[in-house]
Amino acid sequence: MILVVVMLLVACSKDGDIIYQPDPDEPKGSTAPLVTVIYSKDALGDRSYNDLIYKGVEEAAAKYGLRTIQLSPTSYEEGKGYLENMFQTIQTLNDSVPRLFIVCAAGYDDYIRKNSHLFDSNPYADLLYLETPEPLESGGSTLYLPYYGAMYEGGAILPAIYFVATLIVSNPEDQTVAGAAKGFSDGFLTDYYSIKDSWMEYKKEFHTIYLAEKSGEGYNIADSTAIQILDEARGTIIPVCGGAGNTMTYLCDVTLGHSYVGIDVEKYSSWCYMSILKHIDRAVGLCIGQWVSPEGMPKHQVLGLKEGYTSVTLHERSLSDYNKYITEELRQQIHEDAIRKEEEYESK
């Protein structure tokens, strides 16, 4: 029996060279399309924006029968290594397995733009770069979900619920964050109505705190730092800072320190007045569906408030004050103004 097995596995050519015959029972490598996602440093686990991307990718993979690899580096250098490997891979692949690389790491923008042309050399590899308002000059597609409109809408509504607010921003350089911060402050400081009780009129008060100075930073902080920031903040906090914002809202829930606006995640807390949402999971799922279709992904897509990929949700705690000052007609006006102002802001 041993001799028979050996004879099945090996044979000799007429020149005496050993040729190994393939085992028909050996598992074959999958040829299903592969989606690889590369995040910013320590991005996954934020229970917010990046976790929504993860969710959207996995749901699309289950729908279309795809394989996935999701990479969340622990340092800037490790993330750069993932990107270097990506560009090297697309140049050396010799199979026809479709591969989509999704990059959601704004801190590597220059490097990505300098090398995206390499995707032109491989018909089986494609790039989706999140989130940038500027299309790539060559190789790859871009997706942008402007946040100005939804944040403007939320900012315009908040004074009807509470008139003192502190915007907590990751950094001033990331364009999507800057647009969100600008939208909220513009909406908050627009006078759609006055806030009065029986004997006085309240004046709105608005503050901004930045957690870092450079692009890609300020999205993760220690609890001790978050507590210090909350001590400095006044009124309702609006944390536009990814995982750092989740840390702060958790502390607000357990210490009863501040009311807040939930950003990128639906919050059902007695301390959360409203949620301003970016439906990046649906947007990424849309792009993956386009990628597997015969038409492929568009070169650049913008999906904002008008298209329904950002939105504002009011929670029960805020409705009594809200209904006192904002009629259905005014609510619709604010929404339409927010769409128009987002288009104006993004056109600049």
Side-chain angles (χ1 to χ4, degrees):
M1 289 181 64
I2 295 174
L3 179 61
V4 171
V5 171
V6 171
M7 290 179 67
L8 288 173
L9 293 176
V10 302
C12 293
S13 70
K14 64 180 181 179
D15 297 324
D17 298 326
I18 295 177
I19 302 173
Y20 287 86
Q21 303 295 330
D23 182 352
D25 297 324
E26 183 178 335
K28 302 293 190 298
S30 174
T31 58
L34 176 63
V35 178
T36 300
V37 190
I38 302 174
Y39 295 89
S40 294
K41 172 187 171 184
D42 296 326
L44 280 184
D46 64 357
R47 290 182 284 179
S48 181
Y49 177 83
N50 291 286
D51 284 5
L52 284 175
I53 294 175
Y54 182 96
K55 173 176 174 284
V57 169
E58 295 301 322
E59 288 178 347
K63 180 178 180 180
Y64 298 111
L66 313 176
R67 294 176 294 153
T68 64
I69 299 174
Q70 307 231 27
L71 303 171
S72 184
T74 58
S75 67
Y76 176 88
E77 290 72 23
E78 185 177 2
K80 182 73 172 296
Y82 288 152
L83 293 173
E84 290 172 346
N85 183 67
M86 174 184 75
F87 287 120
Q88 182 179 1
T89 297
I90 62 175
Q91 295 179 84
T92 58
L93 283 174
N94 55 8
D95 60 43
S96 58
V97 175
R99 289 172 168 83
L100 173 63
F101 294 87
I102 301 177
V103 178
C104 34
Y108 304 101
D109 185 79
D110 288 343
Y111 181 75
I112 292 167
R113 293 185 182 279
K114 288 177 182 177
N115 292 279
S116 66
H117 67 278
L118 297 173
F119 277 89
D120 292 331
S121 64
N122 190 325
Y124 301 106
D126 209 344
L127 170 67
L128 175 61
Y129 181 31
L130 313 177
E131 273 194 63
T132 173
E134 301 174 12
L136 297 168
E137 292 185 3
S138 60
S141 299
T142 46
L143 172 68
Y144 178 48
L145 272 63
Y147 225 174
Y148 181 96
M151 294 293 284
Y152 179 97
E153 186 173 325
I157 292 170
L158 183 60
I161 306 165
Y162 199 75
F163 57 94
V164 180
T166 298
L167 188 68
I168 303 176
V169 188
S170 54
N171 67 76
E173 292 190 355
D174 288 345
Q175 287 180 293
T176 54
V177 171
K182 176 67 172 168
F184 196 92
S185 63
D186 286 352
F188 188 89
L189 297 173
T190 299
D191 293 323
Y192 283 98
Y193 45 83
S194 60
I195 311 302
K196 299 178 180 180
D197 60 19
S198 59
W199 57 279
M200 68 174 295
E201 180 174 348
Y202 294 101
K203 293 183 179 180
K204 291 182 285 189
E205 186 178 324
F206 190 78
H207 308 273
T208 302
I209 297 174
Y210 290 100
L211 300 181
E213 297 179 358
K214 297 181 180 179
S215 175
E217 297 182 354
Y219 294 100
N220 290 283
I221 57 175
D223 286 4
S224 57
T225 304
I227 291 171
Q228 181 180 349
I229 296 296
L230 290 173
D231 286 342
E232 298 175 9
R234 299 192 61 186
T236 300
I237 67 165
I238 305 93
V240 190
C241 46
N246 185 68
T247 299
M248 291 180 189
T249 56
Y250 168 77
L251 290 170
C252 289
D253 287 338
V254 299
T255 64
L256 313 184
H258 282 278
S259 58
Y260 61 88
V261 173
I263 303 296
D264 290 337
V265 63
E266 197 82 71
K267 299 284 287 190
Y268 297 99
S269 162
S270 60
W271 292 94
C272 182
Y273 287 140
M274 73 175 77
S275 293
I276 304 177
L277 305 172
K278 179 177 284 194
H279 304 287
I280 188 65
D281 51 339
R282 289 200 287 112
V284 168
L286 171 70
C287 291
I288 292 176
Q290 294 167 337
W291 176 64
V292 300
S293 72
E295 295 78 16
M297 292 184 297
K299 182 66 176 174
H300 183 66
Q301 294 184 87
V302 179
L303 303 172
L305 185 63
K306 182 179 180 180
E307 294 76 19
Y309 282 85
T310 64
S311 63
V312 178
T313 301
L314 291 169
H315 300 314
E316 189 66 30
R317 180 188 179 193
S318 62
L319 290 180
S320 59
D321 289 335
Y322 165 84
N323 290 329
K324 187 189 307 181
Y325 295 106
I326 300 182
T327 63
E328 290 186 10
E329 292 77 14
L330 179 56
R331 179 73 170 86
Q332 184 62 28
Q333 179 190 336
I334 292 172
H335 180 69
E336 293 174 358
D337 286 353
I339 291 174
R340 176 175 55 81
K341 287 180 177 294
E342 180 169 89
E343 292 174 345
E344 292 174 354
Y345 177 83
E346 295 299 332
S347 68
K348 296 177 181 179

